[in-house]
Amino acid sequence: ETGVTQTPRHLVMGMTNKKSLKCEQHLGHNAMYWYKQSAKKPLELMFVYNFKEQTENNSVPSRFSPECPNSSHLFLHLHTLQPEDSALYLCASSQDFYGYTFGSGTRLTVV
Amino acid sequence: GNSVTQMEGPVTLSEEAFLTINCTYTATGYPSLFWYVQYPGEGLQLLLKATKADDKGSNKGFEATYRKETTSFHLEKGSVQVSDSAVYFCALSDGRFQGAQKLVFGQGTRLTINP
C-alpha cells in the first residue's frame, strides 16, 4: 500500500476513444503531479497541482486534460491520442520537501 | 536549468558484489537530492534522500552522500542481492514551486543482479 492509488493499471484505447486515468492519495499531501514515463526517455513532468490549483502545464498537448476536484483526487482525461502517447503514466503526491510518493502507474497503449 | 546525469546502464553484477551508481547534478541554489527505485511493473519508491551538503542518506543497505564540491550523489551498496534488481533514478528538487516541489530526474540506471 503506497498511499497513492492509480486506476486502471492497464488501458488499451483506440485513437478516437476518450478515457480517463484516476489517481487518489490518502496521505494528506497538498501537491499532486502527473508524469509520463516512456521507454529510454527520462521521466517527463506533465502537470502540477497545489491545493487543487494547477501551477504548471509543461507544454503538454491539449489531448491530455487534467482535472483536480480536490486535494486528494487527480484525473487525466485522454482523447484522440496518438500511438506515441503509449507510455506508463505515473501520479505522485508530495508535502513540503519530503519527496514524492508515487502510485504504481497506468500502462497506456494507444492502438 | 537544473539537470541530473546518471551513469549509463545497464549494470550487471553478481550477488554480493559492491555497487556504485554515479549521479552528478547541475543546480542553482541548494537542492535536496533523492534516489528512487522502480521494480518491474511498479511506480517509483523513495529509497533515500539528503537535504544539505555532506548529509548521508541511507536505507536498506544503500547509501549516498551529498557532495557539493563535486556536485555528486553517488549510490553505493556493499553487498547486492538478487532482489536489488531494478531501475534506479537520481533526482533533485527544483526548489519550492508555489508550495509544490518539482523534481528533476536522471534517465535511470537498470541494475541486474545474477545469483
Side-chain angles (χ1 to χ4, degrees), chain A residues 12-28:
Chain A
V12 179
M13 60 186 288
M15 289 189 283
T16 58
N17 290 160
K18 290 184 180 181
K19 297 286 184 183
S20 296
L21 310 184
K22 179 181 176 182
C23 176
E24 186 173 1
Q25 59 101 355
H26 309 280
L27 301 168

Side-chain angles (χ1 to χ4, degrees), chain A residues 9 33 35 37 50 96 100, chain B residues 36 38 41 44 98 101 103:
Chain A
R9 290 294 305 271
Y33 312 79
Y35 274 84
Q37 186 178 30
N50 187 42
D96 298 326
Y100 290 174
Chain B
Y36 281 83
Q38 185 177 31
L44 280 70
Q98 299 182 34
Q101 62 169 297
L103 289 187

Side-chain angles (χ1 to χ4, degrees), chain B residues 8-22:
Chain B
E8 290 287 328
V11 174
T12 303
L13 296 172
S14 297
E15 205 165 22
E16 299 184 1
F18 184 86
L19 168 70
T20 300
I21 300 179
N22 290 339

